[in-house]
């Protein structure tokens, strides 16, 4: 059975959504990143980047959430746009936009707003600005389309959902007011039974919730390993 290495964080949740939407059988395997499970040798053999999610599907290993979405979509033939060069180009463009822009900037915004030991206004403003700009691009596109690629629900919407559902954590409690089209998509996906099962997955395992010294050592290794 497909093994799904996960936590309740945004990137694993995109993959959980796909697995639930596609009705695939899988074994969820918790990786408690606040306890340092991501750095264990057996997990590094699956994902050398020491992050979640990853999957092992028979003799195939895939890490990085958007790569996993693409792998699973191509394997099952589900949640893809039409089979034309134009549609595939749009799929890849938007999937990579989420992977290389939305996710990293949103993640850094959360980090500098909530977890950095010092409040650095320059860093907070830069990452909030870029996160807001990226979400604004998604919102503008959704003003003219039901889903990111048109009328069909695809893996791009799942990738967007993973991060956009956390907009209040990324940009503050009032931020939804700026993204009404994106909110429509997020609410629509969150109401789906598959999304509710995906979000409920983390309750099946007991993940550590405290951000204490052990968690900071595991997740923010730059605190103890100086490069500069
Ligand atoms: N590009 C990777 C990023 C994965 C990532 O940053 N995962 C976070 C959770 S959303 C994680 O594992 N954090 C634990 C850590 O940084 O130690 C992907 O899209 O899968």
């Amino acid at each position: 059975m497909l093994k799904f290495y996960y936590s309740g964080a945004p990137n694993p949740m995109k993959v959980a959504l796909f697995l639930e939407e596609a009705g695939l059988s899988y074994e969820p395997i918790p990786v408690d990143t606040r306890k340092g499970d991501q750095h264990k040798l057996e997990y590094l053999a699956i994902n050398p980047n020491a992050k979640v999610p990853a999957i092992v599907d028979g003799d195939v290993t895939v890490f990085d959430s958007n790569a996993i979405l693409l792998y699973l979509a191509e394997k099952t033939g589900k949640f893809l746009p039409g089979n034309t060069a134009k549609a595939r180009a749009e799929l890849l463009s938007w999937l990579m936009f989420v992977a290389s822009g939305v996710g990293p900037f949103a993640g850094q915004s959360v980090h500098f707003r909530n977890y950095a030991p010092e409040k650095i206004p320059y860093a907070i403003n830069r990452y909030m600005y870029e996160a807001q700009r990226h979400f604004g691009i998604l919102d503008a596109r959704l003003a003219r389309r039901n889903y990111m690629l048109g009328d069909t629900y695809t893996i791009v919407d799942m990738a967007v959902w993973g991060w956009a559902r956390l907009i209040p954590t990324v940009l503050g409690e009032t931020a939804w007011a700026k993204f009404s089209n994106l909110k429509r998509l997020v609410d629509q996906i969150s109401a789906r039974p598959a999304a509710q099962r995906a979000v409920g997955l983390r309750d099946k395992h007991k993940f550590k919730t405290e951000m204490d010294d052990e968690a900071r050592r595991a997740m923010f290794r730059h605190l103890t390993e100086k490069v500069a």
Side-chain angles (χ1 to χ4, degrees), residues 54-150:
I55 62 166
V56 175
D57 183 20
D59 62 355
V60 177
T61 298
V62 195
F63 64 87
D64 251 71
S65 57
N66 297 277
I68 299 171
L69 287 175
L70 192 56
Y71 166 81
L72 291 173
E74 290 183 341
K75 177 186 155 136
T76 59
K78 291 184 174 169
F79 304 107
L80 288 169
N83 189 17
T84 63
K86 186 173 187 299
R88 183 161 172 80
E90 283 198 342
L91 168 79
L92 292 176
S93 298
W94 288 104
L95 201 57
M96 299 307 151
F97 175 81
V98 176
S100 64
V102 174
F105 282 116
Q108 294 304 315
S109 180
V110 172
H111 181 83
F112 282 103
R113 279 163 53 83
N114 299 321
Y115 298 122
E118 311 147 54
K119 292 270 174 267
I120 307 166
Y122 176 87
I124 293 172
N125 191 50
R126 167 162 168 80
Y127 288 115
M128 285 183 73
Y129 176 87
E130 282 296 330
Q132 177 170 288
R133 192 178 70 77
H134 280 74
F135 284 128
I137 292 168
L138 298 175
D139 189 69
R141 185 161 172 91
L142 289 165
R144 291 168 282 117
R145 288 168 185 79
N146 287 333
Y147 294 102
M148 281 302 296
L149 300 185

Side-chain angles (χ1 to χ4, degrees), residues 7 24 32 34 38 43 52 105 132 161-162 171 187 195 204 210 214 218-221:
S7 73
L24 294 176
D32 199 328
R34 293 193 177 191
Q38 69 274 41
Y43 187 67
V52 277
F105 282 116
Q132 177 170 288
W161 174 82
L171 293 174
D187 287 348
K204 294 199 171 147
E210 306 81 37
E214 177 191 45
M219 297 180 68
F220 311 142
R221 293 185 124 188

Side-chain angles (χ1 to χ4, degrees), residues 9-12 14 33 38-39 49-53 64-66 163 218-219:
N11 289 310
K14 303 168 186 173
T33 56
Q38 69 274 41
H39 301 295
N49 191 30
K51 308 267 180 200
V52 277
D64 251 71
S65 57
N66 297 277
W163 276 104
M219 297 180 68

